[in-house]
Amino acid sequence: MNSSLLRQPKAVWAVAFASVVAFMGIGLVDPILPAISESLEASPTEAEMLFTSYLVVTGIAMFFTSWVSGRIGARRTLLLGLTLVVIFAALAGAAGNVDQIIGLRAGWGLGNALFISTALATIIGAAAGGAESAIILYEAALGLGIAIGPLLGGLLGSVSWRGPFFGTAALMAVAFITIAVLLRSDPTPRVRVPLSAPFKALARPQILLLAVTALLYNIGFFTLLAYTPFPLGFSAMGLGWTFFGWGIALAVTSVWVAPALTHRFPRTAVLPVVLSLLALDLVACAFAVTSPAALVVGVVAGGALLGVLNTVFTESVMEATDLPRSVASSSYSGVRFLGGAAAPPLATVLADQFTAWTPYVVAAISVALGAALVWTGRGLLARASTAHEDVAEEAQAITAGEVA
């Protein structure tokens, strides 16, 4: 890991802290899915729609975040996103039925999209040490947030299923204050991005290839995250500890293992190999579905693989073309989140119609297709595999919304 990772301006640490809190929201509801299903008399598929509404809106909104931030600035976009999450998370905690929560999670997703996409571009624009250090810092925030989210969700969910929602609202309010105080201005000049730019970016075969591969990969990611609480059958606290281990594994590999692999091997070699290993892990989860202890091992092992993939996918998208990085990120993220949106309800429907292990097999097939796709198209990604620019030149060249 680059030593410059720890020597960052206060503004970068402010956005990184807020990112940790934002990503906590992804896993915070995970331990309470069975409790919501029981308390609100909702089917597992209805409970899983909490992920789907959130991720569908997040994915659609991602296409427009670079346009918004180019007009109102990164700081205002971050604060707007945090404000929306505070409002909708608090309202979800006060909701009276699962349909209301599903709708409110959609508003939550809009806020998170504005924040997440802009946070990455802001960190890259303001960080010391160039894009690689910035991306590793961002992925570390992602991993830490995803790790802490389920544990906090389990603690608060042990009191009431409403607790994680109110907890998120409070934490995001703290993040809002942190950004407002420490990020006094935009770290880079505003660059007005055409509204059509993220859609046109998908015409680039490199972006389309990575986006579709990530969509297939996200089906595996969110099957593991959102479906597994049901076959495990643990209490909210038990699920919190399980996915805390999953998130810690994800954080460690995203920060330390992924950079070590990409410095030794081309990204186009790392992606298909680790995707194949994830597919095998999902198959192992299918065999272990009746053994909670074995399934926990499969979940944590999956987290380690997901950490590598998150970092390498992000680096590849940023380096694959000469597109502005904010545009590439918006376009890629918009597609990949749709895979995550489809996975949770699909998994519970498959489990209901067939067997408890069927969702893992379907997810494994999806991830394996992603591995085959990126391997077949590796020639298109030569730039992503070889883009290791001089750090000093890169630090000067990279700004959010500018061509690197």
Side-chain angles (χ1 to χ4, degrees), residues 79-242:
L79 293 175
L80 174 60
L82 290 169
T83 299
L84 290 174
V85 175
V86 170
I87 293 170
F88 285 103
L91 289 173
N97 59 62
V98 72
D99 290 333
Q100 291 176 3
I101 302 175
I102 290 169
L104 292 166
R105 282 280 286 177
W108 187 338
L110 174 60
N112 244 26
L114 290 168
F115 178 83
I116 289 172
S117 180
T118 310
L120 176 56
T122 302
I123 289 176
I124 288 177
E132 184 177 12
S133 292
I135 290 171
I136 292 172
L137 183 62
Y138 179 80
E139 293 298 339
L142 184 154
L144 188 59
I146 286 180
I148 297 173
L151 187 57
L152 182 61
L155 286 168
L156 296 175
S158 297
V159 179
S160 167
W161 64 263
R162 300 179 187 275
F165 295 112
F166 289 128
T168 296
L171 286 169
M172 289 303 246
V174 173
F176 179 96
I177 294 169
T178 303
I179 294 289
V181 172
L182 295 180
L183 188 66
R184 303 299 297 178
S185 60
D186 290 343
T188 55
R190 296 182 195 177
V191 177
R192 288 181 174 260
V193 176
L195 191 60
S196 60
F199 300 98
K200 290 181 177 179
L202 290 174
R204 298 286 188 102
Q206 300 94 330
I207 298 297
L208 183 61
L209 171 65
L210 288 168
V212 173
T213 303
L215 183 151
L216 294 168
Y217 151 66
N218 259 19
I219 291 175
F221 185 115
F222 281 95
T223 296
L224 201 64
L225 175 65
Y227 168 68
T228 304
F230 289 100
L232 276 177
F234 291 169
S235 66
M237 202 62 243
L239 291 172
W241 281 113
T242 298

Side-chain angles (χ1 to χ4, degrees), residues 233-277:
F234 291 169
S235 66
M237 202 62 243
L239 291 172
W241 281 113
T242 298
F243 285 95
F244 174 73
W246 172 81
I248 289 294
L250 189 152
V252 168
T253 56
S254 66
V255 175
W256 284 285
V257 178
L261 288 174
T262 54
H263 283 140
R264 187 176 179 86
F265 305 104
R267 294 183 184 115
T268 48
V270 174
L271 282 175
V273 169
V274 182
L275 283 167
S276 298
L277 291 174

